[in-house]
Amino acid sequence: MKWTQFVSQYKKLLICSLAIAISGSSIVSLSIPKTYRSIKQISINASEDKFEKATAKLKILFNNPTIEPSNVTTEPEIINELLKSPKLFFLMGEEYVKTSKNKKLKLKDYLSLSREPWWCRLFNSQEEQSKIRRCLMTEVDLKTGIISIKGSAQDPFVAYEITQIASKVLQSMLQAYTRNITIINMDNTRNQCLHTKKKYDKSLAAYAKYVDSNTSPTSTEEMSIIDSLQKNVDIALEEYNKANLQYHMAEMKVKRHLINFITLKDGNIAKTPEHPRTFVNLIIWLFYAILFDFWSISIHNKISRKIHGKR
């Protein structure tokens, strides 16, 4: 069968499916509001200066391992979990955004006024955090630690501000998280300092008591006991001094540790919308329409052969 004969034979089916494809793609494209996207890439720069490096060396030297804030906050897995946490979306919703019409309102209020396709209203959750989750896409590179933040909104200015808000809230959450860790470390070193202080006081009291009761030691045994007690005092004093130094360093670290972001790529205000993709929608609908035509024609031919074969 020639192509012209094929088209003339199934002209009504082809025209009907073509009309349905164009109508369907048009309805879908018109239902999707214009949305803009902005992308920001950042990397963490924990404030690890000479002071913190010295602290880390002392911890290794004293064989007293603790949680390192600079290590914890730069772990991509932890950052990834924070970016998915409900607290992040709640704090973002309370931040203010400025639209292209110079109108200022909270992000959650802006998203509640935004238009959505009818199928989103039927199947997607209308909760504030769910709406914020849909307009924010994040990705953390587990190898390089680079954080990609993508904001999507019907206003290009809001899409840009979503990336800035997410970066700001993440920084504040990491700062609070790090501070909690440094406080825990400070409490641990303080307890260790108090423990070594008690040990030193106890050994010093034992030494003083024995020396007071033996003001003029003459025997070798008495001299040996005094030397042993003196060594215990010296060892306890050294442990206490180390623990006390470590505690003061941990106390200073609570006030000094900062989390800063290095901006690798700042989000820009998009000029063209990302959605709807009218041409792509039309191609998809046309593809499925042609697929349906060939499927229905092949079934029709099979049924016709069976009917003619029985006759």
Side-chain angles (χ1 to χ4, degrees):
M1 184 185 293
K2 293 182 179 181
W3 177 253
T4 53
Q5 293 177 345
F6 175 82
V7 172
S8 61
Q9 184 177 351
Y10 300 104
K11 182 169 63 175
K12 290 183 178 180
L13 176 63
L14 294 173
I15 292 173
C16 183
S17 61
L18 182 64
I20 292 173
I22 294 173
S23 301
S25 65
S26 300
I27 291 171
V28 170
S29 298
L30 291 172
S31 300
I32 300 174
K34 288 184 178 180
T35 54
Y36 300 83
R37 173 171 289 188
S38 181
I39 302 174
K40 182 176 183 177
Q41 287 186 330
I42 55 176
S43 179
I44 289 184
N45 178 28
S47 61
E48 186 181 15
D49 53 15
K50 293 180 180 179
F51 167 77
E52 294 192 5
K53 290 180 180 178
T55 306
K57 288 181 180 178
L58 281 173
K59 288 177 180 177
I60 296 171
L61 181 64
F62 300 157
N63 195 22
N64 185 20
T66 53
I67 304 172
E68 275 298 319
S70 57
N71 293 336
V72 171
T73 51
T74 53
E75 283 295 328
E77 292 84 359
I78 294 177
I79 297 171
N80 203 22
E81 290 299 319
L82 288 176
L83 287 169
K84 296 176 182 176
S85 64
K87 184 179 179 180
L88 177 85
F89 301 121
F90 172 77
L91 293 175
M92 285 184 63
E94 298 299 319
E95 293 287 333
Y96 282 88
V97 294
K98 195 173 183 180
T99 66
S100 55
K101 296 180 180 179
N102 209 24
K103 188 178 180 182
K104 195 174 182 181
L105 68 167
K106 288 185 177 181
L107 178 59
K108 63 179 183 181
D109 297 331
Y110 168 81
L111 293 176
S112 65
L113 298 173
S114 299
R115 187 169 67 90
E116 287 186 329
W118 57 267
W119 56 85
C120 290
R121 293 193 293 269
L122 290 176
F123 301 107
N124 289 343
S125 174
Q126 297 301 308
E127 294 180 0
E128 293 174 358
Q129 291 191 12
S130 297
K131 290 183 177 181
I132 297 173
R133 193 187 299 269
R134 291 197 294 272
C135 74
L136 178 69
M137 293 177 62
T138 57
E139 183 181 352
V140 182
D141 193 314
L142 299 180
K143 292 183 179 179
T144 61
I146 295 174
I147 307 165
S148 299
I149 301 173
K150 303 174 185 177
S152 179
Q154 294 172 26
D155 190 306
F157 284 76
V158 176
Y160 168 78
E161 291 206 15
I162 286 173
T163 61
Q164 307 303 314
I165 289 171
S167 175
K168 173 186 170 184
V169 172
L170 177 62
Q171 184 176 2
S172 64
M173 289 178 67
L174 281 172
Q175 187 66 53
Y177 185 71
T178 306
R179 181 174 174 80
N180 290 337
I181 293 172
T182 54
I183 289 173
I184 291 171
N185 286 342
M186 186 185 68
D187 291 339
N188 291 338
T189 54
R190 180 171 55 214
N191 293 334
Q192 182 68 19
C193 183
L194 292 174
H195 174 71
T196 54
K197 180 69 167 58
K198 288 180 181 179
K199 187 177 178 181
Y200 168 68
D201 291 340
K202 187 177 179 181
S203 59
L204 184 62
Y207 171 77
K209 183 179 179 181
Y210 188 82
V211 170
D212 290 342
S213 61
N214 296 274
T215 54
S216 301
T218 55
S219 64
T220 307
E221 183 180 357
E222 289 176 343
M223 294 295 294
S224 177
I225 293 173
I226 290 174
D227 290 341
S228 177
L229 291 172
Q230 181 64 52
K231 286 181 181 179
N232 291 340
V233 172
D234 293 340
I235 292 171
L237 178 60
E238 184 180 2
E239 289 179 354
Y240 168 66
N241 288 335
K242 288 179 179 179
N244 190 43
L245 178 62
Q246 192 173 0
Y247 164 64
H248 285 297
M249 283 188 169
E251 189 177 27
M252 291 173 64
K253 202 169 185 180
V254 172
K255 303 173 183 179
R256 290 173 61 95
H257 197 85
L258 297 173
I259 297 296
N260 296 313
F261 282 146
I262 301 173
T263 302
L264 304 176
K265 179 184 177 182
D266 199 6
N268 55 349
I269 298 173
K271 295 181 180 179
T272 57
E274 184 187 32
H275 294 289
R277 298 175 180 174
T278 308
F279 181 72
V280 175
N281 290 337
L282 178 60
I283 295 298
I284 292 172
W285 278 79
L286 287 175
F287 171 77
Y288 282 110
I290 294 170
L291 196 67
F292 173 78
D293 289 344
F294 279 103
W295 176 76
S296 58
I297 290 169
S298 62
I299 290 178
H300 178 265
N301 291 336
K302 285 182 181 180
I303 294 172
S304 299
R305 290 193 198 100
K306 286 183 181 180
I307 294 172
H308 292 300
K310 288 181 180 179
R311 291 180 181 175

